[in-house]
Amino acid sequence: MRQFPLEGLDIAPGRVVEWRLRARGVADGSRTEESGRRASFNQDKHFSVVEEARKANDPFASWLALTFEVGGTLDRGALESAFLFFARRHEVLRCEFRRLAGDLACAALEPEDIALEALEIGEFDSTKELRAFMADSFTKSIDTLAWPLFMMGAVVREESSTVYLAFDHIVSDGMSMSNVVYDIQNAYAAFARGEEAALPEAGSYLDFAHEQSRRYGSIGADDTRLDYWKSFIASNGEFFPRFPLELGVESGRMYPTVNEADRLLDARETEELEARCLAAGGKVFMGVLAAVAVSLRQAGGPGVYRGFMPVSERGRGPWKHSVGWFVNTMPIEFSVAEDKDFEEIMAGVRSGFTEMMRHIDVPFVRAWELLAPHHFALRSWPFPVNFFSYIDMRKCPGSENFEEWRPASHVWSSRANGTCSWYQRNFRGLFMNSIFVDTPEARRTMGEFQGALRETLLELSRSGALTKNTGTVG
């Protein structure tokens, strides 16, 4: 499994069918304040951004999507049963959001109160037309302010079918995508055999969100649990760590986006990098982060790396197989001074990550609201922010079947004012997907940065040493 733009999906044409959730036998207003729970801080901020954008007639849109393959002649009844099972299994997918006395509340339909409605779309004769239709369907179907908050579909052919789903971020994160594949593939196989689906426990994200809000809703800016953030702000000079390379953006302006993905290392090279990282006392993601930091410094960035890093909050409890937005975003910093070798930089990454994880409990959005209130009212981060995300897809549920299922995730955002990069490792190597502003300078900067990063990683995998390239990017 890997993440790349939908435009890069190798999908054969076929007959398209889509499904939407609908409420069955539920009167309007039946989801009351009493039946609702408070949304998470991530959800509240996301909902508020869309609310404000809508008021300002801002056409901002985004979605997370997933595609995977089902072999053989499609058993449509089994697939519909699997879709319904999936929606009933994850309470957040049956949820709608509404403002109640200023707070964002979420109330879910009961599992028996939802049904599926099928839409026969028709035949597509070319891959290009099919991909364009899917992108358009995702954009039109996904609306943060309107239920349902995800949609389902399939491209049906005689010998195989491609299943696709698209979600609003308010109900899902990137790590949830593998759980979606696992749930639907296993449920489909069970229903096709005439059996009931049996899957591991999946706790409700609504319970997670409500507990998070209860624990952190009343903390103040003087709470000692914010000391790590305050220390970072003191060294960084502000709440958000700036992306250190020039992207050619104007302050306060949003831009159309570029969505690019490429392989950084093949499977053998990634295994060699892993060996070098282990020998230096770290893990692969630490080595990748070190390489990113060194590449930025060599391109003109500072000798201290400061950035945001999303971290999963699923833990080892009932959330491992759940769908939801189980992500906290935390700051991390470490030295990448020019006189340091790989082992020294890795030690700094390891120390920085360990310290970051000691303070993972405070939600990012809450820290933002309390410590940077002048920026909290904005509909986006105030300027290009340094951001690093890493997922090892080989550890996802069902990864032993990924060669057969061919799952892929696709992230899209209509506009941005900076850049975000996601790194994924799978059985075929190490990959990078970046969404960034569509300016000539950003295209040049990101292209040169990716090339420099690839060279740095290759040198690390071959020799365990850092490249001495000191060229300037941008």
Side-chain angles (χ1 to χ4, degrees):
M1 185 171 187
R2 57 173 289 219
Q3 178 179 305
F4 56 86
L6 184 64
E7 292 79 8
L9 179 65
D10 181 16
I11 182 171
R15 178 173 55 86
V16 174
V17 185
E18 291 191 340
W19 290 267
R20 303 287 193 281
L21 284 188
R22 64 175 177 84
R24 182 176 63 183
V26 179
D28 289 342
S30 63
R31 284 164 281 191
T32 64
E33 180 175 356
E34 288 74 26
S35 65
R37 282 160 285 179
R38 187 171 175 178
S40 71
F41 294 105
N42 282 340
Q43 290 175 323
D44 198 329
K45 181 59 178 174
H46 180 77
F47 193 90
S48 297
V49 165
V50 176
E51 280 183 318
E52 293 302 317
R54 202 67 54 85
K55 291 176 185 176
N57 201 28
D58 181 346
F60 173 78
S62 65
W63 41 256
L64 292 80
L66 172 71
T67 56
F68 58 89
E69 298 298 306
V70 173
T73 302
L74 183 70
D75 184 332
R76 179 163 166 170
L79 181 62
E80 291 181 345
S81 295
F83 280 153
L84 195 55
F85 170 85
F86 169 69
R88 288 172 171 169
R89 171 172 164 83
H90 299 287
E91 190 176 24
V92 71
L93 300 178
R94 295 178 271 109
C95 185
E96 68 173 354
F97 298 84
R98 62 181 70 176
R99 288 285 174 199
L100 296 174
D103 291 333
L104 184 66
C106 46
L109 287 164
E110 294 298 326
E112 63 272 15
D113 289 335
I114 61 170
L116 293 181
E117 180 178 10
L119 303 172
E120 298 286 346
I121 304 299
E123 294 282 346
F124 285 81
D125 298 324
S126 78
T127 295
K128 183 178 180 180
E129 290 177 345
L130 178 57
R131 287 192 300 227
F133 163 77
M134 290 169 64
D136 184 63
S137 182
F138 297 168
T139 304
K140 290 178 177 177
S141 301
I142 304 305
D143 181 355
T144 306
L145 307 184
W147 187 88
L149 293 159
F150 79 111
M151 55 86 68
M152 302 154 282
V155 183
V156 183
R157 300 175 288 271
E158 288 188 8
E159 296 181 356
S160 70
S161 297
T162 302
V163 175
Y164 60 83
L165 299 94
F167 302 82
D168 191 281
H169 202 347
I170 203 167
V171 296
S172 184
D173 59 17
M175 283 293 291
S176 294
M177 294 296 99
S178 61
N179 287 343
V180 176
V181 180
Y182 183 83
D183 281 7
I184 295 176
Q185 285 280 16
N186 282 281
Y188 172 78
F191 290 125
R193 295 191 302 265
E195 302 172 0
E196 291 298 314
L199 292 171
E201 175 191 6
S204 171
Y205 181 72
L206 272 63
D207 292 339
F208 174 91
H210 189 73
E211 176 61 19
Q212 182 190 72
S213 297
R214 186 192 66 79
R215 291 178 62 192
Y216 299 104
S218 61
I219 68 171
D222 58 347
D223 195 292
T224 58
R225 287 172 290 183
L226 291 168
D227 287 351
Y228 175 76
W229 274 99
K230 292 176 182 177
S231 175
F232 177 81
I233 293 170
S235 60
N236 184 54
E238 51 193 340
F239 184 84
F240 290 93
R242 294 177 183 260
F243 184 72
L245 307 184
E246 186 56 53
L247 298 174
V249 299
E250 299 176 9
S251 177
R253 180 180 171 188
M254 301 293 283
Y255 296 79
T257 57
V258 177
N259 193 341
E260 293 184 346
D262 204 356
R263 185 168 68 179
L264 297 172
L265 299 175
D266 63 25
R268 178 185 58 80
E269 292 162 342
T270 306
E271 290 173 358
E272 291 172 348
L273 175 66
E274 180 174 31
R276 301 296 185 183
C277 293
L278 292 172
K283 299 180 179 181
V284 173
F285 83 87
M286 295 179 181
V288 176
L289 179 53
V292 167
V294 168
S295 298
L296 290 172
R297 189 257 296 162
Q298 291 177 342
V304 176
Y305 176 90
R306 296 185 179 94
F308 278 167
M309 186 172 180
V311 182
S312 174
E313 297 179 294
R314 294 175 182 274
R316 301 180 183 276
W319 321 116
K320 179 180 179 180
H321 293 274
S322 299
V323 169
W325 195 344
F326 295 93
V327 175
N328 200 6
T329 302
M330 295 293 293
I332 186 171
E333 61 180 301
F334 53 89
S335 173
V336 285
E338 194 169 351
D339 61 349
K340 289 182 177 292
D341 61 21
F342 180 52
E343 287 76 12
E344 291 172 314
I345 292 177
M346 281 287 278
V349 175
R350 186 174 61 250
S351 176
F353 180 76
T354 300
E355 181 65 12
M356 181 189 79
M357 293 301 290
R358 289 183 57 241
H359 304 276
I360 191 65
D361 58 330
V362 178
F364 162 70
V365 172
R366 192 71 177 120
W368 179 5
E369 181 179 15
L370 291 169
L371 302 180
H374 52 294
H375 284 149
F376 189 71
L378 299 176
R379 295 201 299 272
S380 66
W381 291 352
F383 42 72
V385 169
N386 204 12
F387 177 89
F388 172 91
S389 174
Y390 177 93
I391 298 178
D392 188 340
M393 300 294 188
R394 303 171 308 156
K395 298 179 180 179
C396 295
S399 61
E400 67 277 7
N401 298 307
F402 281 0
E403 285 296 316
E404 176 187 356
W405 294 347
R406 292 173 51 198
S409 60
H410 316 279
V411 176
W412 177 79
S413 178
S414 62
R415 300 199 303 155
N417 68 346
T419 177
C420 283
S421 293
W422 297 267
Y423 301 85
Q424 314 97 40
R425 183 184 184 183
N426 64 21
F427 295 106
R428 298 189 177 186
L430 177 67
F431 299 83
M432 175 183 181
N433 179 203
S434 296
I435 295 180
F436 55 90
V437 293
D438 189 5
T439 66
E441 195 154 7
R443 284 180 176 269
R444 182 171 60 253
T445 293
M446 294 303 293
E448 293 177 357
F449 167 68
Q450 181 173 305
L453 175 59
R454 183 183 292 111
E455 289 302 313
T456 300
L457 288 165
L458 279 170
E459 186 62 30
L460 281 175
S461 68
R462 291 167 181 163
S463 67
L466 292 166
T467 175
K468 298 301 181 183
N469 172 31
T470 57
T472 300
V473 173

